[in-house]
Amino acid sequence: MAGSKNYFNSISDNWDKMREEFFGTEVREFAFELAKVEKGKIAVDIGAGTGFITEGLLKENLNVIAVDQAENMVRTLNDRYRKNSNFTCYQGNSENLPIEDNSCDYAFANMYLHHVENPLIAIKEIYRILKPGGKVIITDLDEHTYEFLKKEQFDIWMGFNRNKMSEWYKTAGFSNINIKSIGEKCKSKSTCSCSTAEISIFAAFGIK
């Protein structure tokens, strides 16, 4: 994960613009609708980046815990949202989230899992921090063949097979699993502009 962490530290100042080029707010809206978020509840934004999901959750009047592995992302998050009494932020990684057991109502992880070395461990960690009845929504990439993303953006996984995602959810202990397309694509150009990725995005839902 060191390569991924260093990469996100290096691009933190440009991440907002990059994210807008990759995908739009439809991803966030779809995830919130799928979760049926309720104000006053506790939500975790895992791999929060500069706060794409966090921003939306705060607007919906949820209490938000944002977690990211990159120090520069955490610094940006704190600069933006620390004056909001509903916001808390931690630096942490996928295998050891700095959050108590059975403490959260929702867990969101947007474009996070394909940077994780062991997705099953990450999903088990999400299960651990959710309250009984808590909901997970992972939004990420379907399987693809764009090798340049591994080299240029330090992706570890070239997207995910939805059946495999369902299997990981079941192994972690989740029920009511529902994995569906959000109807949007993630777009990214290689640095040489010789290849353009257009990859469908799924949302994977489960209940503890």
Side-chain angles (χ1 to χ4, degrees), residues 141 143-144 146 148-149 185-188 196-200:
L141 306 175
E143 282 185 305
H144 63 84
Y146 297 101
F148 76 87
L149 294 174
K185 291 186 176 182
C186 181
K187 300 177 181 179
S188 179
T196 301
E198 291 194 17
I199 308 163
S200 57

Side-chain angles (χ1 to χ4, degrees), residues 77-192:
L77 285 162
N78 276 316
D79 287 346
R80 289 182 177 178
Y81 305 114
R82 63 186 165 198
K83 293 182 180 179
N84 190 314
S85 61
N86 294 333
F87 171 78
T88 307
C89 186
Y90 300 110
Q91 184 180 355
N93 63 55
S94 61
E95 296 184 1
N96 187 22
L97 295 172
I99 299 171
E100 294 181 1
D101 296 357
N102 307 307
S103 60
C104 304
D105 299 292
Y106 308 100
F108 293 90
N110 179 55
M111 301 300 167
Y112 159 80
L113 203 65
H114 64 265
H115 288 286
V116 169
E117 290 183 5
N118 193 320
L120 179 56
I121 291 177
I123 292 168
K124 286 181 176 179
E125 267 293 273
I126 292 172
Y127 186 89
R128 176 186 68 78
I129 67 173
L130 283 172
K131 298 175 182 178
K135 301 173 182 178
V136 57
I137 302 90
I138 294 176
T139 40
D140 217 295
L141 306 175
D142 281 310
E143 282 185 305
H144 63 84
T145 58
Y146 297 101
E147 289 278 353
F148 76 87
L149 294 174
K150 297 180 73 172
K151 180 179 180 180
E152 296 181 11
Q153 299 180 20
F154 291 87
D155 291 12
I156 295 175
W157 294 81
M158 294 175 64
F160 298 99
N161 177 282
R162 296 188 191 184
N163 290 331
K164 190 64 177 179
M165 283 293 301
S166 181
E167 180 184 318
W168 284 333
Y169 268 40
K170 289 176 183 176
T171 300
F174 287 105
S175 61
N176 296 83
I177 299 163
N178 184 9
I179 302 175
K180 58 174 65 177
S181 173
I182 72 164
E184 300 289 330
K185 291 186 176 182
C186 181
K187 300 177 181 179
S188 179
K189 289 184 178 181
S190 62
T191 53
C192 65

